[in-house]
Amino acid sequence: MTNISEQLSYVENNLRKLNESIDVGQGMMRQIAQLVKESQGDKHDLDTLKEHLVDDRVQKRRYGSTVAAEMAGISHPRLYAAEKDGRLPSPDYRLDTKTKVRAGYTINQINLMRNVFDTAPRKPEGTAAAVVGVLNLKGGSQKTTSCHLFSQYLAIQGYRVLLVDSDPQGSLSFFYGKRPDDNVQYEHTIAPFMLEDDEALIEAGLEPGASESLDYAIQKTYWSNIDIIPACLQNLSIDQLMPEVLSRSGIGYTDRFMKLRHGLIEVGKNYDFIIIDGTPSLNLSTLNVISACDMVFVPAPASMPDFASTLQFTDLVAQTLEGHLERGEAPNIPDIRYFITKYSGSSYAQFMSDIIRKVFNVERGDVLINEVHSSDEVGKATNRTYSVYEQNPKDSDNPKRLKKTVEMFDSIFSEIHDAIWDTVWGMQPRSDHMAQLDELFQKNAQIKQNLEQVTESSKEEAGNE
């Protein structure tokens, strides 16, 4: 049996190795751009290298004049006239041609057109921004991917979006060029607001009282109409310290779950949508995220282990609501919807999809019609940190598959968009998704009948226990 000094020595040695790895890794993160250029410069062209960098991100995707004008809600002669009379800046031109050829327009440039001509879509006048969360307990459910792509889908339409990364891993922040625990520290996150830590913000150079609002944490991104409140590992301090903060402040039961919502509603005046990437756990942070939201969308991968995790998440939320009811308290409770991810054409995925629909579709529309199919394009885009919405089709190694992937996400996000308008703002969605859902179930009538028999058997077994 080893003595205590040997055990402490073992711990110290492991700590030394971990700290060495951390120091080297953080140093590399600070110099990642130069390191990539030096190590890969003789193997790849400059454009390929830029795809893999995080800093100095730019919008790559460009649209032709006619398409850009149509997206902006104007004619292309009107676009040219505005460029000529100075209402819009002069267009970009390609550098690889002898004659002057327009290079096309980025989404930022198209959104500038929308602002000049007042054609951008906006939330209904007099209403607050729609607060939407994407949550699940299990990693790998495409939670962060969904937040990332949905924010860009909305921005492409012209909406103003605020992203809130509450996940200590900070993956969503990374996609927008914010490096967790490097150029994103504690004072840049929601943590000082949640913990009422004015001292930390004053030390960071902010005015006294800064922790009373989330304004200090909002950062611009390389998308002109997407801002972000980033995250880093120190977001974990929220769950470690918040119980003590709440106890010290004497805040009421309901308000301890509503703090984040109050903060987001205040800063949300200049946004149409606020999208929260939740943590893959159910803790005080997640409970604040849930109560902050008008709607929560739960990605449910079409596999048995992931179905079990989704069911567990739903059960934990239900237990939380039961606790509210027992106390006679009613924090804000969002409308919860599910959407199927990692779907494939296999019989197993179809079977799991039907189970998900049967279990979670208590009312029509609880499970969205469209599924997110497994796609190599998403994986490739994630590796490059530029999404499928940011790639020029002509630069893709498989333009047809890229187009199909974008259309798939357009379908699911259009459905989510319509559900939000209908539920949050009481506006009728553009298309009758309920009729499509009825048709979907009619096609699977036999499977539905089998699942109903299984459900009845489960209820009987539960009643006999």
Side-chain angles (χ1 to χ4, degrees):
M1 184 175 179
T2 58
N3 58 39
I4 187 66
S5 62
E6 289 176 337
Q7 291 176 344
L8 290 174
S9 177
Y10 174 77
V11 172
E12 288 173 355
N13 185 56
N14 276 278
L15 180 59
R16 177 188 59 78
K17 291 195 295 183
L18 291 172
N19 283 332
E20 185 176 329
S21 296
I22 291 167
D23 289 342
V24 172
Q26 288 179 342
M28 285 186 175
M29 284 299 298
R30 286 189 290 271
Q31 304 173 53
I32 193 72
Q34 189 59 36
L35 288 171
V36 169
K37 289 177 183 177
E38 290 175 358
S39 66
Q40 302 295 314
D42 60 339
K43 302 172 186 176
H44 302 287
D45 60 76
L46 186 59
D47 288 338
T48 301
L49 293 179
K50 286 180 178 178
E51 284 186 356
H52 294 80
L53 303 182
V54 179
D55 290 338
D56 302 323
R57 315 219 66 204
V58 296
Q59 290 189 331
K60 296 169 49 182
R61 179 78 163 95
R62 287 183 178 266
Y63 301 83
S65 301
T66 302
V67 173
E70 183 180 334
M71 291 172 69
I74 58 176
S75 64
H76 68 272
R78 197 176 179 195
L79 164 61
Y80 295 163
E83 290 172 340
K84 189 174 182 179
D85 64 26
R87 283 176 293 164
L88 289 172
S90 299
D92 296 334
Y93 291 97
R94 291 176 56 172
L95 302 177
D96 59 345
T97 58
K98 292 181 179 180
T99 57
K100 291 181 73 172
V101 178
R102 290 171 184 258
Y105 298 85
T106 66
I107 286 298
N108 285 352
Q109 291 168 327
I110 293 170
N111 280 326
L112 176 60
M113 298 175 203
R114 288 166 169 153
N115 291 338
V116 168
F117 290 101
D118 195 24
T119 57
R122 292 290 179 258
K123 63 191 176 188
E125 192 170 345
T127 63
V131 185
V132 179
V134 182
L135 301 170
N136 201 333
L137 286 178
K138 193 174 185 299
S141 63
Q142 295 193 330
K143 172 181 66 68
T144 298
T145 298
S146 299
C147 287
H148 182 207
L149 294 179
F150 185 45
S151 68
Q152 293 183 349
Y153 169 85
L154 292 171
I156 289 169
Q157 313 307 310
Y159 290 111
R160 302 161 300 175
V161 181
L162 173 63
L163 283 169
V164 181
D165 193 351
S166 70
D167 190 340
Q169 296 177 82
S171 297
L172 182 62
S173 303
F174 195 86
F175 283 135
Y176 280 100
K178 317 296 180 181
R179 299 193 306 277
D181 306 299
D182 182 15
N183 63 5
V184 176
Q185 299 293 336
Y186 170 82
E187 64 270 17
H188 304 126
T189 72
I190 62 171
F193 171 79
M194 298 297 290
L195 299 174
E196 301 175 0
D197 191 354
D198 216 41
E199 185 177 337
L201 296 183
I202 292 173
E203 287 180 7
L206 297 173
E207 295 294 323
S211 66
E212 296 173 8
S213 169
L214 281 167
D215 280 318
Y216 73 87
I218 297 174
Q219 298 188 18
K220 295 292 183 183
T221 74
Y222 62 102
W223 287 64
S224 61
N225 55 342
I226 299 179
D227 293 344
I228 189 170
I229 297 178
C232 69
L233 197 59
Q234 288 176 299
N235 275 51
L236 290 169
S237 63
I238 296 173
D239 291 294
Q240 295 167 352
L241 301 176
M242 197 167 177
E244 179 186 341
V245 172
L246 294 174
S247 176
R248 189 170 62 242
S249 65
I251 192 170
Y253 177 85
T254 297
D255 287 339
R256 67 180 61 185
F257 295 101
M258 295 288 286
K259 185 170 181 62
L260 182 58
R261 180 171 177 83
H262 293 328
L264 291 177
I265 293 299
E266 181 200 354
V267 299
K269 297 185 289 291
N270 296 321
Y271 300 97
D272 303 298
F273 292 86
I274 299 174
I275 304 171
I276 309 176
D277 185 14
T279 61
S281 57
L282 194 69
N283 46 34
L284 198 52
S285 294
T286 304
L287 294 177
N288 255 272
V289 169
I290 291 173
S291 292
C293 293
D294 298 302
M295 298 187 76
V296 165
F297 291 88
V298 182
S303 72
M304 185 55 73
D306 290 295
F307 167 73
S309 176
T310 303
L311 193 59
Q312 183 184 35
F313 171 77
T314 304
D315 183 48
L316 288 170
V317 173
Q319 290 177 32
T320 302
L321 300 189
E322 287 173 2
H324 293 336
L325 291 174
E326 287 173 2
R327 297 180 64 100
E329 302 276 357
N332 180 66
I333 302 301
D335 186 310
I336 299 178
R337 308 287 178 95
Y338 301 81
F339 63 102
I340 296 166
T341 62
K342 296 188 174 180
Y343 183 79
S344 69
S346 70
S347 58
Y348 172 71
Q350 292 174 18
F351 172 72
M352 288 308 306
S353 173
D354 285 314
I355 287 181
I356 291 168
R357 292 189 184 283
K358 176 58 184 175
V359 170
F360 296 113
N361 210 66
V362 179
E363 297 178 354
R364 290 191 309 165
D366 285 344
V367 181
L368 303 184
I369 301 162
N370 295 285
E371 300 105 352
V372 178
H373 292 241
S374 298
S375 169
D376 291 339
E377 292 299 315
V378 175
K380 288 191 298 184
T382 300
N383 290 337
R384 290 191 293 261
T385 69
Y386 277 102
S387 81
V388 293
Y389 282 120
E390 297 178 279
Q391 295 179 50
N392 282 306
K394 64 181 180 61
D395 297 331
S396 172
D397 58 3
N398 194 329
K400 193 173 293 186
R401 188 167 59 192
L402 174 63
K403 181 174 182 288
K404 186 176 180 180
T405 301
V406 169
E407 289 173 346
M408 172 192 69
F409 280 112
D410 281 350
S411 295
I412 187 73
F413 293 146
S414 172
E415 189 176 356
I416 291 175
H417 167 277
D418 289 355
I420 294 169
W421 269 85
D422 186 33
T423 303
V424 178
W425 294 315
M427 308 287 284
Q428 195 66 26
R430 293 171 299 179
S431 55
D432 188 2
H433 295 302
M434 296 300 99
Q436 295 178 46
L437 190 60
D438 288 337
E439 181 181 347
L440 180 77
F441 274 111
Q442 287 169 9
K443 291 179 180 178
N444 296 279
Q446 186 58 52
I447 296 176
K448 181 182 176 186
Q449 184 179 351
N450 292 342
L451 290 173
E452 286 173 347
Q453 292 173 358
V454 172
T455 303
E456 289 301 319
S457 298
S458 298
K459 288 180 180 177
E460 290 176 8
E461 289 177 7
N464 294 331
E465 291 179 355

